[in-house]
Amino acid sequence: AVSSIHRQTTLMKLTEDETVNLLKDHLEKTGWHIGDKFCLGQKHGIDIEASKGKAIMLIEVKGARASDTAPTKRREHFDSGRIKSHFGKALVKMLHEKSLNPKAKLAIAHPNDEDIRKAIGHIIPFLKSLGIIHFWVSHKQVIED
């Protein structure tokens, strides 16, 4: 019984693709246009590029677990070290994007997940000073931090 409860909890953890799709839907409902400017799977590039009027927002999205089809899947969900590593890579990517697109809004999105909040939640408030928006994404809502 314990393993089935653990498996159910793990399945509730959002993959990167699930997080992209939920955030994309939220942004479109709030007036942002995305069209086909998003990446799913193991593709390289900006995960979501949204536009509203003349504003452009570039978003790097992370998940709480690997997708079931990911070639690099090792664990059922990401541990604290992997979460921090993914966050570090997202930060470097956003700073690089800032150098290429100084007028673009930049954002990082994570699932609204207890393990992710425990690992990096205390760091998220500092993103504002770097000019980076943060989104906490779940099936129920998207919170902009």
Side-chain angles (χ1 to χ4, degrees), residues 22-124:
L22 288 167
L23 182 56
K24 191 169 72 71
D25 291 347
H26 168 78
L27 292 170
E28 287 174 336
K29 286 177 189 169
T30 58
W32 289 91
H33 176 73
I34 292 147
D36 63 354
K37 294 184 177 184
F38 64 96
C39 292
L40 295 176
Q42 301 267 322
K43 292 181 183 173
H44 294 285
I46 293 297
D47 293 323
I48 299 174
E49 182 179 326
S51 61
K52 185 191 274 190
K54 291 184 179 182
I56 293 175
M57 181 166 37
L58 306 173
I59 308 165
E60 179 66 13
V61 179
K62 296 299 171 191
R65 67 180 179 95
S67 75
D68 295 331
T69 58
T72 56
K73 183 179 177 185
R74 285 184 176 69
R75 295 189 180 98
E76 288 186 340
H77 60 87
F78 299 138
D79 62 19
S80 176
R82 180 66 54 98
I83 291 165
K84 289 175 183 174
S85 173
H86 287 175
F87 182 56
K89 289 176 181 177
L91 273 173
V92 169
K93 188 169 190 174
M94 288 294 93
L95 294 173
H96 176 71
E97 285 302 323
K98 188 66 171 176
S99 73
L100 298 175
N101 304 289
K103 293 183 179 181
K105 292 176 179 261
L106 303 174
I108 297 173
H110 286 97
N112 195 353
D113 179 270
E114 185 179 330
D115 291 333
I116 294 174
R117 281 188 175 272
K118 198 180 299 181
I120 61 167
H122 62 287
I123 303 170
I124 297 303

Side-chain angles (χ1 to χ4, degrees), residues 5-23:
I5 290 170
H6 174 72
R7 182 76 183 139
Q8 185 178 8
T9 302
T10 298
L11 287 174
M12 291 171 29
K13 291 186 174 288
L14 296 174
T15 65
E16 183 173 310
D17 285 357
E18 291 167 333
T19 307
V20 165
N21 285 321
L22 288 167
L23 182 56

